Amino acid sequence: MKVYAINGSFRKEGNTDIIIDKVLEGAGSRGAETEKVFVDELGINSCQGCLECRQEGICRQEDNLHEIVRKIEEADAVVIGSPIYGNYMTGQLKILLDRLMGVISRITYVPGGGIKSITRLNPKKRHIVSILTAGAPTPECADDALKLLRRMLGSLANGGSMEEIVAVGINAKGAIVFPREEWIKVAAKYGVQDREAYAEKSMARNREVLKWAFELGQKLAD
Ligand SMILES: Cc1cc2nc3c(=O)[nH]c(=O)nc-3n(C[C@H](O)[C@H](O)[C@H](O)COP(=O)(O)O)c2cc1C
């Protein structure tokens, strides 16, 4: 069982990274082989818009994309994470997805409207986990990013599970694991009156996210 994780954040040990690691820890605890990469370190150029991939399923640019496609193809589970930047995913993850679009999937236009992606890769069952993290207190900011991830990654699933984690209310690096004192400081910065209650609520919410991430990881490998 191979789990391949792609982190669209720049921040190592940031919120997205910590949640991805929890999923991988859960999967690892059930014997899965795990690998995580940061998009920023993959050396992926921007899409040049030639549209050749839409016809051939191959990108003619010679960079590390081909290796990433191979890893995705091999994987039994793919985990993709990104912080929300401007109500979307990070630019570098979008660049990767632009490059992958016509290579991992073929787009068809559904009669009556809409787009459907059909896999070009080995159509084996893959479990998919999308992780989005945000400073905003509510999850709507992730809606647009999820729309693209569901369509693209959905084409890889072939009957595998499609899970999503949207962690909100976390801005600072590592806020997902902040202790009470740090949350009290955040509450003070935001002018919150009942700082204890704010800290308690934030910590409880984050604990739930991390517990769920771990359990999801276990489920991937079971
Ligand atoms: C350039 C930039 C844009 C951001 N835009 C949003 C946004 O639109 N909505 C939001 O809720 N948070 C936004 N954030 C906050 C991040 O989503 C948040 O800090 C996240 O936890 C960072 O995850 P990381 O630690 O994995 O990098 C933005 C952060 C940056 C740096």
Side-chain angles (χ1 to χ4, degrees):
M1 165 69 179
K2 286 186 184 172
V3 185
Y4 185 55
I6 300 175
N7 189 350
S9 173
F10 288 99
R11 293 207 288 208
K12 290 208 165 132
E13 295 170 35
N15 298 315
T16 315
D17 201 27
I18 292 169
I19 299 171
I20 289 177
D21 281 351
K22 266 289 166 219
V23 174
L24 299 185
E25 197 186 318
S29 75
R30 293 285 210 258
E33 193 183 304
T34 67
E35 179 178 354
K36 178 183 71 181
V37 291
F38 283 82
V39 178
D40 191 40
E41 294 174 352
L42 293 175
I44 298 296
N45 303 319
S46 302
C47 172
Q48 304 294 301
C50 70
L51 288 173
E52 226 170 79
C53 61
R54 298 269 166 113
Q55 301 303 321
E56 311 297 333
I58 295 165
C59 180
R60 63 161 119 112
Q61 289 195 61
E62 287 184 10
D63 61 7
N64 293 328
L65 187 79
H66 308 283
E67 172 68 3
I68 297 159
V69 173
R70 195 178 64 74
K71 295 276 185 180
I72 291 174
E73 180 140 45
E74 264 179 25
D76 303 291
V78 177
V79 179
I80 292 211
S82 176
I84 295 296
Y85 277 14
N87 282 335
Y88 207 54
M89 61 192 68
T90 56
Q92 67 268 30
L93 181 58
K94 180 59 166 58
I95 284 173
L96 174 64
L97 295 187
D98 287 347
R99 291 287 308 287
L100 284 173
M101 248 175 231
V103 176
I104 64 170
S105 59
R106 195 163 51 80
I107 291 167
T108 60
Y109 294 91
V110 179
I115 290 175
K116 194 170 167 215
S117 293
I118 300 165
T119 188
R120 284 190 192 270
L121 304 185
N122 163 6
K124 73 173 190 180
K125 183 166 138 182
R126 293 180 190 86
H127 299 299
I128 307 294
V129 182
S130 301
I131 299 170
L132 293 160
T133 58
T138 54
E140 300 77 44
C141 56
D143 287 353
D144 289 338
L146 284 174
K147 221 186 267 181
L148 178 62
L149 290 170
R150 280 177 197 145
R151 175 159 67 74
M152 277 190 69
L153 303 180
S155 75
L156 297 173
N158 303 302
S161 59
M162 297 273 301
E163 302 282 359
E164 291 166 5
I165 299 176
V166 180
V168 296
I170 42 175
N171 247 319
K173 183 173 172 184
I176 189 82
V177 287
F178 268 2
R180 177 172 281 94
E181 318 78 87
E182 291 299 327
W183 280 113
I184 299 273
K185 284 187 213 160
V186 174
K189 198 169 97 186
Y190 291 157
V192 175
Q193 295 247 311
D194 191 345
R195 295 175 190 173
E196 277 294 339
Y198 181 86
E200 211 42 64
K201 198 170 147 201
S202 305
M203 287 190 306
R205 189 185 56 216
N206 293 338
R207 267 197 306 270
E208 271 307 302
V209 169
L210 294 173
K211 181 170 173 280
W212 182 30
F214 184 79
E215 288 169 359
L216 245 177
Q218 289 182 318
K219 218 170 79 175
L220 294 180
D222 280 346

